[in-house]
Amino acid sequence: QSVLTQPPSASGTPGQRVTISCSGSSSNIGSNYVYWYQQLPGTAPKLLIYRNSQRPSGVPDRFSGSKSGTSASLAISGLRSEDEADYYCAAWDDSLSGWVFGGGTKLTVL
Amino acid sequence: EVQLVESGGGLVQPGRSLRLSCAASGFTFDDYAMHWVRQAPGKGLEWVSGISWNSGTIGYADSVKGRFSISRDNAKNSLYLQMNSLRSEDTALYYCVRASAYSWRGGWIDYWGQGTLVTVSS
């Protein structure tokens, strides 16, 4: 069981806006930044969002992140077929003294 | 370009040992903390261990504490993971990852290698 909770799947049609949620607790999301990673099929994860809502250079502004209390969300607007991937949230956990991840959300573009 | 290349994975029997290596390039290795993160087949990501830039501080997940040992050689731009008393539940793809800070407790994970597969089975 993952420490952070994500829905196992999400879907949308091209051009739509999709959101993926990530729920944690006061020891992780509630007191630390949230990060999001994209894992395309057969590849290593790639940093998508850092410090809740910041995008690394090269990440399209179609991707956005937010955080409120002990939950966070990733939004993808103008959905494209190449966005089909697994998405993971992550945060530092003060109680565990380590990084914790969500179980991942498989995004399907219909 | 940041590159992290893992090696050393393979098939090993339960109870045996294995040592993973990660060769880093494209950045000043001793400016950054490093971690190992694993992914069991068809499963999510699990943080395994982290080490600060100068090996001064180290951390482990409870699931591997006492069995795994992380180390680094800054002169060789290399990160290692010594895995002892391996169990079937250690079967996973092991990723070498870079942190964005000196300390393994700070920053965030910003770059990932392609991973090396460890299979623990008799």
Side-chain angles (χ1 to χ4, degrees):
Chain A
Q1 304 292 53
S2 300
V3 175
L4 305 181
T5 301
Q6 296 180 238
S9 64
S11 63
T13 56
Q16 263 191 333
R17 183 177 187 270
V18 171
T19 61
I20 297 171
S21 62
C22 176
S23 177
S25 67
S26 58
S27 65
N28 42 67
I29 293 178
S31 52
N32 294 294
Y33 290 113
V34 178
Y35 303 84
W36 290 91
Y37 299 89
Q38 178 192 58
Q39 186 174 33
L40 296 169
T43 70
K46 167 193 158 187
L47 180 64
L48 201 60
I49 297 288
Y50 67 99
R51 288 189 170 179
N52 300 336
S53 60
Q54 304 303 303
R55 284 186 309 277
S57 61
V59 174
D61 58 7
R62 302 186 296 105
F63 295 90
S64 62
S66 63
K67 172 188 143 176
S68 178
T70 59
S71 294
S73 63
L74 172 71
I76 309 171
S77 60
L79 202 60
R80 303 174 70 161
S81 58
E82 56 260 41
D83 297 333
E84 196 160 275
D86 293 326
Y87 292 84
Y88 293 91
C89 59
W92 179 262
D93 192 293
D94 293 329
S95 296
L96 297 175
S97 289
W99 286 98
V100 292
F101 292 89
T105 297
K106 184 176 185 62
L107 175 64
T108 300
V109 181
L110 303 170
Chain B
E1 179 193 3
V2 172
Q3 287 202 337
L4 301 167
V5 180
E6 304 90 339
S7 61
L11 175 63
V12 61
Q13 294 179 326
R16 303 298 290 265
S17 299
L18 205 60
R19 188 193 195 212
L20 305 184
S21 299
C22 170
S25 61
F27 64 101
T28 304
F29 186 65
D30 56 9
D31 276 351
Y32 296 89
M34 299 292 293
H35 300 267
W36 289 97
V37 175
R38 67 185 181 184
Q39 185 171 33
K43 301 296 184 182
L45 302 168
E46 180 189 16
W47 175 78
V48 173
S49 180
I51 185 169
S52 62
W53 68 282
N54 64 352
S55 305
T57 57
I58 285 173
Y60 298 96
D62 287 342
S63 58
V64 306
K65 203 171 289 184
R67 299 188 299 122
F68 289 13
S69 176
I70 190 172
S71 62
R72 63 189 294 164
D73 185 336
N74 288 346
K76 294 183 178 180
N77 289 349
S78 294
L79 176 72
Y80 306 100
L81 185 67
Q82 177 66 42
M83 303 185 295
N84 300 328
S85 303
L86 282 161
R87 305 167 180 166
S88 58
E89 53 264 37
D90 295 320
T91 293
L93 187 62
Y94 284 74
Y95 291 106
C96 166
V97 302
R98 193 187 82 167
S100 65
Y102 285 105
S103 169
W104 69 275
R105 302 176 70 93
W108 57 90
I109 294 170
D110 57 3
Y111 288 96
W112 300 65
Q114 289 303 306
T116 186
L117 182 63
V118 173
T119 304
V120 184
S121 174
S122 54

